[in-house]
């Protein structure tokens, strides 16, 4: 297997900085397990060489059409950002063993320069133990809460809490080993070493381990409380299932004392809900404006509950939809006037005998006579002579 690594930290940081957009998206979707290669190409401007470079350097791993961040870098990002869900207790144990080994090397070494190197490694490891232990306790507490609140499977929830309790015991054991290492196992080293920085680191570590000890006690109480709640819920569900079974077989009253137990129970939830109407006085309804507003409000609510059913119209007859065209012949008064002006006849006689190309009654012809006089009086000569026809008296009118 050919695994290429970065040549130096500068190259590593440059690669992470260049592909920050891709790594940011992949880290945010690390739990979906389905980060598509096609989407990764889009994030690197379709430059596949950039993705190939990260794969060659073991930053990314490709599985078919999917991509994922390598476990080493993923664990590093999670630990730095303090979002890791795994509780790594092995590192605490390894750090304690590393300190013991370096203390032995320190005591056996006569060269001051190499002794200083061992001492520096011991101080760095002590600091690391404090940070890792605190981080483990914080992760353990968060994990306990999340398991109890979010795990849907009842049995798995119980098992996971028990496993977390085992990890709590392991953290306490490792914490005790660290305290024992400081106080008892290496008295010669701590007496001979007069390094002030080491003394300060040891003091800070003791404070951190003491704080972790208090938190572990709280976590233990929390786990016990959660397990008891799960146990109570389990007993309740078991009884409920048994009652349901007896009810389904119509033996619940014969095999249990449910009637007696329910008769002793006077909880409000078992009471039948009673409606108590409140009748208002007539005087209040008549005289008080608030009553009128309340009645209007109730009437509005009542109307909103009524569903108006639309009335359907009858079917339109087919013959009604046929294209029926009705023509009406209109009388052109201007044309009648022109014809009249071309004659020397009086207007009433002209109108009485005029052919309008349709049937026109006598009354309609009288109306046309009047309309022409009204519209074209300047072109007509109305005399003082009058005649009578069919009971209608009319003036003699001639063209000017």
């Amino acid at each position: 297997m050919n695994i290429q690594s970065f040549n130096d930290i500068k190259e590593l940081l440059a690669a992470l900085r260049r592909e920050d957009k891709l790594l940011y998206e992949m880290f945010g979707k690390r739990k979906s397990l389905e980060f598509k290669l096609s989407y990764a190409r889009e994030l690197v401007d379709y430059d596949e060489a950039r993705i190939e470079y990260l794969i060659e350097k073991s930053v990314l791993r490709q599985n078919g059409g999917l991509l994922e961040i390598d476990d080493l870098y993923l664990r590093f990002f999670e630990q730095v950002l303090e979002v890791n869900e795994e509780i790594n207790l092995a590192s605490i144990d390894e750090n304690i063993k590393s300190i013991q080994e370096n203390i032995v090397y320190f005591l056996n070494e006569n060269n001051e320069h190499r002794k200083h190197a061992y001492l520096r490694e011991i101080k760095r490891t002590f600091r690391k133990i404090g940070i890792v232990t605190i981080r483990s306790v914080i992760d353990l507490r968060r994990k306990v809460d999340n398991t109890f609140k979010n795990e849907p499977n009842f049995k798995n929830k119980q098992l996971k809490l028990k496993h977390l309790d085992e990890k709590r015991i392991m953290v306490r054991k490792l914490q005790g080993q660290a305290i024992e290492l400081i106080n008892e196992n290496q008295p010669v080293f701590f007496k001979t070493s007069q390094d002030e920085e080491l003394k300060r680191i040891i003091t800070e570590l003791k404070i951190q381990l003491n704080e972790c000890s208090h938190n572990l006690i709280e976590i233990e109480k929390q786990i016990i409380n959660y397990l008891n709640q799960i146990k109570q819920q389990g007993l309740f569900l078991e009884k409920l299932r048994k009652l349901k079974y007896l009810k389904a077989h119509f033996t619940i009253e014969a095999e249990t004392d449910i009637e007696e137990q329910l008769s002793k129970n006077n909880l409000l939830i078992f009471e039948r809900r009673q409606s108590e109407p409140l009748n208002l006085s007539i005087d209040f309804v008549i005289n008080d404006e608030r009553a009128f507003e309340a009645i209007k409000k109730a009437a509005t609510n009542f109307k909103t509950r009524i569903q108006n059913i639309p009335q359907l119209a009858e079917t339109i007859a087919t013959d009604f939809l046929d294209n029926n065209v009705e023509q009406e012949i209109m009388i052109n008064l201007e044309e009648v006037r022109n014809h009249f002006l071309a004659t020397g006849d009086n207007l009433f006689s002209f109108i009485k005998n005029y052919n309008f190309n349709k049937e026109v009654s006598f009354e309609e012809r009288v109306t046309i006579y009047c309309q022409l006089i009204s519209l074209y009086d300047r072109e007509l000569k109305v005399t003082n002579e009058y005649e009578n026809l069919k009971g209608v008296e009319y003036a003699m009118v001639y063209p000017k």
Side-chain angles (χ1 to χ4, degrees):
M1 181 181 294
N2 183 20
I3 299 176
Q4 297 184 18
S5 58
F6 293 97
N7 296 321
D8 50 36
I9 187 68
K10 188 176 180 181
E11 184 184 3
L12 169 62
L13 294 176
L16 297 179
R17 190 184 304 112
R18 184 175 61 249
E19 309 303 346
D20 59 346
K21 188 177 179 181
L22 172 63
L23 294 172
Y24 175 80
E25 290 291 328
M26 294 186 68
F27 185 74
K29 299 177 180 178
R30 64 190 185 281
K31 293 184 179 180
S32 66
L33 304 178
E34 290 186 359
F35 196 90
K36 295 182 178 179
L37 181 61
S38 56
Y39 182 49
R41 291 194 185 103
E42 184 179 342
L43 294 174
V44 296
D45 300 327
Y46 300 97
D47 187 356
E48 292 199 20
R50 292 165 59 181
I51 297 177
E52 292 296 332
Y53 176 78
L54 293 177
I55 294 174
E56 290 175 0
K57 298 296 183 182
S58 302
V59 178
L60 301 181
R61 285 193 283 116
Q62 184 178 357
N63 184 13
L66 302 177
L67 277 182
E68 60 182 337
I69 301 177
D70 187 80
D71 291 339
L72 178 65
Y73 289 92
L74 183 61
R75 198 179 306 116
F76 169 72
F77 294 150
E78 288 181 341
Q79 288 182 351
V80 171
L81 297 173
E82 299 184 4
V83 294
N84 56 313
E85 294 186 352
E86 296 297 327
I87 302 171
N88 187 10
L89 302 179
S91 62
I92 302 176
D93 188 44
E94 290 172 359
N95 286 323
I96 291 174
K97 290 179 180 176
S98 172
I99 289 175
Q100 290 175 331
E101 293 172 359
N102 281 291
I103 286 175
V104 174
Y105 302 151
F106 175 85
L107 296 175
N108 293 337
E109 185 59 56
N110 296 321
N111 184 285
E112 289 298 325
H113 179 72
R114 288 194 286 271
K115 287 184 72 169
H116 181 71
Y118 290 131
L119 180 61
R120 189 175 60 181
E121 182 63 21
I122 291 167
K123 290 188 286 188
R124 188 185 67 82
T125 312
F126 269 127
R127 277 195 297 263
K128 194 175 175 183
I129 286 178
I131 294 171
V132 173
T133 307
I134 287 180
R135 183 78 54 81
S136 300
V137 172
I138 293 172
D139 293 341
L140 184 62
R141 189 160 201 162
R142 186 178 66 246
K143 190 84 174 173
V144 168
D145 278 338
N146 290 337
T147 301
F148 181 74
K149 294 174 182 175
N150 301 322
E151 173 56 48
N153 189 290
F154 179 77
K155 291 183 178 178
N156 285 343
K157 180 185 292 188
Q158 195 172 25
L159 287 173
K160 286 183 178 180
L161 285 174
K162 289 181 178 178
H163 292 158
L164 289 171
D165 192 46
E166 293 173 358
K167 289 191 176 181
R168 178 193 62 80
I169 296 171
M170 185 62 70
V171 174
R172 177 175 287 280
K173 183 179 177 182
L174 294 172
Q175 178 203 8
Q177 290 179 2
I179 295 291
E180 189 178 0
L181 172 67
I182 296 170
N183 295 334
E184 301 176 11
N185 287 357
Q186 300 293 341
V188 178
F189 168 75
F190 289 105
K191 285 182 181 178
T192 55
S193 174
Q194 299 298 323
D195 188 87
E196 291 298 326
E197 185 183 11
L198 176 63
K199 292 179 180 177
R200 189 178 67 252
I201 291 172
I202 293 298
T203 303
E204 291 176 356
L205 177 60
K206 287 181 177 178
I207 294 172
Q208 290 172 334
L209 294 178
N210 187 49
E211 185 180 349
C212 289
S213 177
H214 292 295
N215 279 282
L216 287 173
I217 292 172
E218 293 297 324
I219 292 172
E220 182 182 10
K221 292 179 181 177
Q222 197 173 28
I223 291 176
I224 292 172
N225 182 34
Y226 286 159
L227 289 174
N228 286 334
Q229 288 187 42
I230 293 171
K231 187 178 179 181
Q232 292 297 328
Q233 291 171 2
L235 292 174
F236 175 77
L237 289 174
E238 187 179 351
K239 287 183 179 179
L240 196 63
R241 288 195 194 99
K242 190 173 181 179
L243 289 174
K244 191 176 179 182
Y245 173 81
L246 295 174
K247 184 182 178 184
H249 290 75
F250 304 101
T251 58
I252 187 170
E253 295 176 354
E255 299 187 16
T256 66
D257 59 344
I258 188 169
E259 289 186 348
E260 181 183 352
Q261 295 298 328
L262 290 178
S263 64
K264 296 178 183 175
N265 205 323
N266 296 321
L267 291 177
L268 185 60
I269 194 172
F270 294 120
E271 294 292 333
R272 180 175 297 176
R273 186 175 181 182
Q274 297 179 353
S275 60
E276 297 181 356
L278 180 62
N279 297 323
L280 302 177
S281 67
I282 299 298
D283 293 338
F284 176 72
V285 173
I286 293 174
N287 301 323
D288 200 305
E289 189 65 24
R290 293 175 298 169
F292 180 63
E293 294 297 330
I295 292 171
K296 287 199 298 183
K297 186 177 179 181
T300 305
N301 295 333
F302 180 74
K303 287 180 181 177
T304 55
R305 292 197 295 268
I306 298 176
Q307 295 182 353
N308 295 321
I309 302 174
Q311 299 292 332
L312 297 178
E314 297 180 355
T315 307
I316 299 174
T318 308
D319 55 350
F320 184 79
L321 300 176
D322 293 340
N323 293 326
N324 296 321
V325 178
E326 183 178 354
Q327 294 183 347
E328 183 180 1
I329 300 174
M330 302 297 294
I331 296 174
N332 187 344
L333 294 176
E334 187 174 358
E335 182 180 349
V336 175
R337 183 207 63 174
N338 293 334
H339 287 175
F340 170 69
L341 294 177
T343 68
D345 199 358
N346 70 78
L347 181 60
F348 194 87
S349 176
F350 176 80
I351 297 297
K352 181 169 68 70
N353 298 318
Y354 190 77
N355 183 10
F356 289 102
N357 296 324
K358 71 172 187 176
E359 189 68 25
V360 178
S361 65
F362 178 76
E363 288 77 12
E364 291 175 334
R365 289 178 186 268
V366 173
T367 301
I368 294 170
Y369 167 79
C370 296
Q371 288 176 337
L372 286 173
I373 294 173
S374 175
L375 292 172
Y376 306 110
D377 59 331
R378 293 183 180 180
E379 302 176 14
L380 302 176
K381 180 182 178 183
V382 181
T383 66
N384 293 325
E385 298 175 4
Y386 296 93
E387 291 188 5
N388 195 315
L389 180 64
K390 295 182 180 181
V392 175
E393 186 181 31
Y394 60 90
M396 300 297 288
V397 178
Y398 299 96
K400 285 184 179 178

